[in-house]
Amino acid sequence: MDNLRRFPAPWVMVEEEQCFRVKDANGFSICSVPHREDLHRRPYQYAEQFLTRDEARRIAKAIARLPELLKRPQY
């Protein structure tokens, strides 16, 4: 089991220009959730295929909370 990759908690959400990135305690990037707010400000026919900034932030925040939500209870 030594070859399994671990992602130590806590996971943090980092805001970048075009995405929100979730990183583990070692700074390894677990995922990024891109957004395109500019497409929702003007009439663009494919804007619904992209996340708004707020939607992307909420998804990245939920992903960053996974380690604490999945923590096993201490008995």
Side-chain angles (χ1 to χ4, degrees):
M1 297 260 225
D2 296 355
N3 60 355
L4 293 177
R5 180 179 291 228
R6 301 285 181 184
F7 304 106
W11 291 1
V12 294
M13 179 183 69
V14 179
E15 183 176 1
E16 295 181 358
E17 186 176 340
Q18 293 292 321
C19 69
F20 288 94
R21 193 170 302 276
V22 178
K23 295 184 177 187
D24 68 0
N26 293 331
F28 183 79
S29 181
I30 296 170
C31 74
S32 64
V33 184
H35 61 83
R36 291 289 304 267
E37 191 67 37
D38 60 328
L39 299 179
H40 294 275
R41 290 189 197 132
R42 61 178 192 262
Y44 179 65
Q45 68 181 13
Y46 298 112
E48 70 274 355
Q49 294 179 359
F50 296 94
L51 295 173
T52 64
R53 183 183 177 280
D54 187 53
E55 291 169 338
R57 180 190 57 78
R58 287 185 286 158
I59 290 171
K61 188 175 184 179
I63 293 170
R65 289 189 60 210
L66 282 175
E68 73 182 63
L69 294 174
L70 297 175
K71 191 183 301 184
R72 294 186 180 146
Q74 298 292 329
Y75 294 108

